[in-house]
Amino acid sequence: MQNGLKRTALILILIVSITVTFFYSLTLKDSDAIRVPYTISDGTIMYDIYFEDDYFKQPGGQFYPSLVTCSYGLAISSKSFFPTKNDYSVQYQTAEKFMEDAGFEDIRYNDYYTMPSSYSSLGLIIGKKEIDLGDETATLLAVTTKSGNYRLEWLNNIDLGYTGNNQEQHHKGFYNCGKREYAFIEEYIRDMNITGNVKIWMAGFSRGAAVTNMTAALIDRNIVRNGTGFEGVQMGYEDVYAYCFETPQGAFRKNNAKGLEDPRSSEYGNIFNLIDQNDPVPMVSMTRLGFTRFGKDMFYPNNLTTAAYGDAMVDMYIKYFPQLPSYSIDGYYQNQFSPMFYDTDSNSTREIKNPSVGLFMREFMRMLVDDVPLTRFSYMHTYQVPINLLFTYLFSGKISGTTLLGIGDFLTVLTDDNNMQLLVYDIIHDSDAFVNDFSSFAEYYSARNGNKISNELIENLEVILTLLTKATANDKSYLLSLMSSGNINSLKNAHLISSSMPWCMAMDPNYGTVSSLYSYNDGRYRRITVEGADDLTLFDEDGYESAVFADGKLKECYSLLTYCTGKDGSMIIYIPLDGRYTLDIEKGEDPKVTVDIYDPNWDTYTTVLTTAEKHLEFTPETEN
C-alpha cells in the first residue's frame, strides 16, 4: 500500500466528510458503554467508553490500548460541567457519573470542584470498587483531576519555582498540586478504612495530566522506599495505572541521574504519557531548561514518525473522526498551518511542504532558551510576573466580555482592522516599533470595549513582546508566523481532545479491527540534510516520489512528508524511522548528506551519518 497519501484523496475526504454536526456519537462495540460528553465551540461529541474490570488484571507497567481509551474517557469526564452558565456547584457531575457508570462507589470530590477557580484551586474526585482478579480481590481506586475550564487556576501552570541557586527542583505549581492530590487520596483511604490489596487508576489531560504525572511519581517513590504506595494497604508497582494525556513537562531531570532521581527510569514505568507531536502544550516547560515527564512518552501516529501515516490517517479519519467544521485531523490541514520563512538579508522567502506544527514550535522553544537566552532564574525574576498579570487580565473577561479573549481572537481583530501590515513591517524593520505598536493596539481595543488597560499592564505586555523579539532576532520568520490568527488557531487545535481521541479509538480493539498501518511510537525521526546538490528525489518503498527538489527548489509531489529549503540553501527532508526510502541525488558535483536522528527525550539531534554518496537506502530502524 502506498505510504504517501495523495492530496487529492485527502481533499476528497475533507469535502465529503465536513458537515456541521452539533451532536456526534461514536460507538461500535455491542455492549454497554459509558457516555462521556466533550463540548467545544461547534457542539458536543458523545464518546462511548468501554470499562472492564479485566483491564486491571494486567500489571500497571504493561501498556494496554483499551485502557488508554478508557482512561481518556475518565480524563474527559473531569472537565468542568456547566448545565447552567457559571453554576460552579455541579462541575464534578460528569466525572461522578462516569465513575458511577463504571461501578465505583463512595465517590468523593473536593470543595474546589464546587466553586469558582482561583490560582490555588485543584478539582479532585475519587471513587472505589471491589474487583475480582481471579485468585484474589482488590479495591480499585479511580482518581482524576479537573482537566478543563481552568480559568484562573491555569496560572498555576506558569509557576516554575526557584530557590536561591538551586534550580534542581520540579515545576513548583505541578509538584505542589501533585502533593495535594496524594494527600487527598491518602485521606480517602484512611476515611474509608481501606485495607488489603489496593490498585489505583489515575488519568488527566493537559494541566490535569501534569498533576497526575507528579502524583503517580510520588506513589512510585513510596513503593520503592516503603514497599507500598500508601500506609496501611498493599500496593506495589504493578498496582499503579497512570495515563496522562498531552502532559506538560514538570519533572526536573538532573544530568546522569539514575533510579528514582531519573524521571525516565524503570521505577516510573507504570506512568504513560500520550502525546501529539504537534501539540505545543507538552513542549513546556522546556526540555532545555531541564524539564521532562515521569514515565514513558507514547506518541500518536504523525507524518514525522509513521511511514504509513497517509493511509493510516484515511483509515482513522473515516472511522473515528468527529465531523465538526472548524478543525481537522491534525489541527492544521483544514485550518492550514502556514509558517512564513522569510530571509531579511535577501528579502526572500524559503519554501516548505507539509509544514509541521511540532517542528515549528520545537524550534521556537529552542530559540527562546538559547537565543534570548532564557534560564529558569531569568524566567522567574523577569518574565513570570508579567505573564501572570497579563493572563490574569485575559481570564478576567474584561477585553471582550468572554472568559478569555485568547491570542488568536486578538490577532483576528488586528487583521480585521487592517493593522497587520504595520506589525509585519515592524517585525522586519524595527522590533522596538513592533513592541510599541502592538501595545498601542491592545490598549485601543481594550478601551473600545469599555476597559482601560493600566500602565502597569502595558509595561508587562511590553516585557513579554520584547522577549519574543529577542528570541526571533536571528530569524524573524517565527514571529511573523505567530502574527497569523490562522496559525495560532492551528496551535490551539493541536491541543483539542477531539484531535487525539480518534487515534486512541483506532488503536483500541473495542472500536473495531485495529489496522496494522499504525501504532504508538517513541517520537523519534530522521532528518536528512543535503548540501551542494541541485536536483534530488526521495522515493518511498513503492517507488512513489515522496520529496522532490529541482534546481534547488521544492517541487510538489503526493506525499505528506515535511521537506524544505534551509537558510543556507540546503535541502532538508524529515522521514520516519519505520519507513523504507531511497534518496537519489541526480544533479550536484560535490554533495554532502548528513543524517540526524531526533530524540524528544532530550530535544536533540544526533548525527548518525555523513557521506558524499549520491544514492542512499534507508531501511526501518528495526532492520538495522
Side-chain angles (χ1 to χ4, degrees):
M1 185 174 290
Q2 183 181 347
N3 286 337
L5 172 69
K6 291 188 175 182
R7 272 193 185 278
T8 50
L10 176 59
I11 293 171
L12 178 62
I13 293 170
L14 292 176
I15 292 174
V16 171
S17 301
I18 296 170
T19 55
V20 180
T21 305
F22 290 97
F23 189 84
Y24 182 82
S25 179
L26 255 177
T27 179
L28 290 175
K29 185 178 177 182
D30 293 328
S31 68
D32 294 334
I34 302 171
R35 311 213 78 197
V36 181
Y38 173 60
T39 301
I40 56 177
S41 58
D42 289 309
T44 298
I45 306 165
M46 293 298 295
Y47 289 116
D48 284 358
I49 304 298
Y50 302 101
F51 176 90
E52 302 286 347
D53 290 355
D54 287 351
Y55 296 162
F56 302 94
K57 289 183 177 180
Q58 63 170 1
Q62 181 177 328
F63 186 76
Y64 193 27
S66 291
L67 186 53
V68 171
T69 317
C70 187
S71 298
Y72 216 162
L74 177 59
I76 294 170
S77 76
S78 70
K79 183 179 179 181
S80 297
F81 171 68
F82 293 105
T84 304
K85 185 177 181 180
N86 294 333
D87 182 3
Y88 298 98
S89 65
V90 296
Q91 294 179 84
Y92 63 89
Q93 286 188 351
T94 304
E96 180 185 57
K97 185 176 188 308
F98 182 99
M99 291 185 180
E100 289 175 345
D101 289 348
F104 289 86
E105 301 174 331
D106 295 321
I107 298 169
R108 174 186 292 183
Y109 48 86
N110 66 357
D111 290 341
Y112 287 120
Y113 242 135
T114 62
M115 61 177 63
S117 68
S118 64
Y119 174 80
S120 60
S121 61
L122 177 69
L124 297 167
I125 187 168
I126 187 171
K128 67 180 180 69
K129 72 176 299 188
E130 298 300 314
I131 59 173
D132 186 355
L133 302 176
D135 55 349
E136 60 181 354
T137 61
T139 301
L140 175 64
L141 304 178
V143 191
T144 188
T145 305
K146 190 173 81 167
S147 297
N149 288 330
Y150 301 119
R151 292 176 169 83
L152 285 175
E153 69 186 42
W154 183 90
L155 297 174
N156 191 258
N157 296 7
I158 64 177
D159 188 0
L160 299 190
Y162 178 84
T163 305
N165 294 321
N166 177 22
Q167 299 187 54
E168 296 183 353
Q169 59 181 352
H170 303 308
H171 183 292
K172 179 180 176 182
F174 297 151
Y175 183 61
N176 286 344
C177 285
K179 290 193 294 184
R180 289 162 60 190
E181 184 175 25
Y182 182 91
F184 176 76
I185 300 167
E186 188 175 44
E187 180 181 53
Y188 182 84
I189 290 173
R190 183 174 59 250
D191 290 351
M192 294 293 168
N193 296 315
I194 297 172
T195 58
N197 297 328
V198 174
K199 291 176 175 285
I200 186 164
W201 174 37
M202 311 175 68
F205 171 79
S206 194
R207 177 179 186 257
V211 176
T212 298
N213 190 266
M214 285 289 177
T215 309
L218 291 172
I219 295 172
D220 281 337
R221 284 185 182 185
N222 266 9
I223 289 171
V224 173
R225 292 170 175 169
N226 304 318
T228 183
F230 294 91
E231 184 178 352
V233 301
Q234 298 171 27
M235 180 187 293
Y237 170 89
E238 69 282 358
D239 299 316
V240 179
Y241 306 79
Y243 287 83
C244 312
F245 299 87
E246 309 303 332
T247 319
Q249 298 193 130
F252 185 81
R253 189 180 206 177
K254 301 177 183 178
N255 290 331
N256 302 316
K258 297 180 180 179
L260 288 178
E261 296 302 313
D262 179 8
R264 297 295 189 174
S265 73
S266 59
E267 277 86 347
Y268 305 109
N270 49 20
I271 305 172
F272 297 100
N273 303 291
L274 288 302
I275 307 292
D276 184 334
Q277 277 271 15
N278 294 311
D279 190 345
V281 171
M283 300 178 194
V284 291
S285 300
M286 286 81 89
T287 302
R288 289 173 179 267
L289 292 181
F291 289 100
T292 186
R293 285 172 283 270
F294 287 103
K296 302 175 182 177
D297 286 356
M298 309 291 286
F299 291 86
Y300 304 116
N302 64 88
N303 69 325
L304 296 175
T305 63
T306 310
Y309 178 67
D311 296 321
M313 185 172 64
V314 172
D315 179 74
M316 183 276 281
Y317 191 91
I318 292 174
K319 294 179 181 177
Y320 308 110
F321 198 74
Q323 308 308 319
L324 296 173
S326 70
Y327 62 94
S328 64
I329 204 161
D330 281 321
Y332 59 88
Y333 279 109
Q334 186 175 328
N335 286 322
Q336 183 68 46
F337 180 67
S338 302
M340 179 189 294
F341 288 107
Y342 178 77
D343 186 347
T344 53
D345 294 332
S346 62
N347 193 31
S348 61
T349 58
R350 289 182 284 121
E351 296 180 284
I352 183 168
K353 298 296 183 184
N354 306 315
S356 165
V357 175
L359 282 175
F360 178 90
M361 287 306 299
R362 279 189 287 277
E363 180 61 16
F364 179 66
M365 298 292 182
R366 183 203 65 75
M367 294 163 70
L368 278 173
V369 176
D370 294 352
D371 295 349
V372 170
L374 182 69
T375 65
R376 191 166 177 177
F377 179 86
S378 66
Y379 170 81
M380 287 293 299
H381 287 268
T382 306
Y383 301 110
Q384 179 165 304
V385 170
I387 293 172
N388 188 305
L389 291 175
L390 176 63
F391 276 93
T392 298
Y393 184 77
L394 290 174
F395 279 116
S396 71
K398 292 181 179 180
I399 295 180
S400 64
T402 60
T403 303
L404 173 63
L405 173 65
I407 298 174
D409 297 330
F410 178 63
L411 291 177
T412 300
V413 172
L414 296 186
T415 304
D416 289 345
D417 283 10
N418 299 314
N419 295 315
M420 190 63 75
Q421 286 186 345
L422 176 59
L423 292 178
V424 168
Y425 180 89
D426 288 345
I427 292 171
I428 296 172
H429 299 285
D430 189 344
S431 59
D432 290 338
F434 167 75
V435 172
N436 293 331
D437 287 338
F438 194 105
S439 300
S440 297
F441 291 149
E443 188 172 18
Y444 169 74
Y445 288 116
S446 181
R448 194 176 70 174
N449 284 289
N451 298 288
K452 179 177 174 55
I453 297 180
S454 68
N455 290 333
E456 180 188 23
L457 192 60
I458 289 295
E459 290 173 1
N460 285 303
L461 173 61
E462 291 178 349
V463 169
I464 299 169
L465 294 172
T466 301
L467 170 66
L468 296 178
T469 59
K470 284 182 178 180
T472 56
N474 294 325
D475 192 343
K476 300 178 185 295
S477 304
Y478 287 82
L479 188 52
L480 287 170
S481 299
L482 291 174
M483 286 297 99
S484 161
S485 58
N487 286 344
I488 293 295
N489 284 329
S490 294
L491 299 180
K492 291 162 54 180
N493 290 344
H495 191 57
L496 287 175
I497 287 171
S498 43
S499 292
S500 52
M501 180 60 154
W503 286 116
C504 299
M505 298 167 72
M507 291 179 277
D508 180 352
N510 281 325
Y511 297 88
T513 303
V514 177
S515 171
S516 60
L517 290 170
Y518 46 88
S519 61
Y520 294 97
N521 60 83
D522 63 7
R524 295 180 305 129
Y525 51 84
R526 289 188 181 103
R527 179 182 67 186
I528 305 170
T529 305
V530 182
E531 302 170 84
D534 296 311
D535 297 356
L536 67 80
T537 304
L538 181 80
F539 299 94
D540 68 14
E541 64 178 345
D542 296 322
Y544 290 96
E545 294 177 343
S546 294
V548 180
F549 293 82
D551 295 325
K553 297 185 179 296
L554 280 64
K555 298 299 180 182
E556 186 69 57
C557 64
Y558 297 121
S559 162
L560 289 182
L561 292 184
T562 298
Y563 56 105
C564 60
T565 53
K567 292 184 68 175
D568 56 359
S570 61
M571 305 172 186
I572 305 171
I573 309 171
Y574 299 88
I575 64 173
L577 283 169
D578 68 343
R580 190 182 304 276
Y581 299 92
T582 301
L583 178 68
D584 283 329
I585 300 175
E586 294 103 0
K587 183 180 178 182
E589 295 183 1
D590 188 23
K592 176 185 176 183
V593 180
T594 303
V595 180
D596 305 305
I597 292 181
Y598 177 74
D599 183 354
N601 286 329
W602 297 99
D603 190 27
T604 56
Y605 285 94
T606 301
T607 300
V608 295
L609 176 66
T610 302
T611 181
E613 293 291 328
K614 294 185 178 181
H615 177 84
L616 292 172
E617 301 280 347
F618 295 94
T619 58
E621 186 182 46
T622 53
E623 297 180 10
N624 298 335

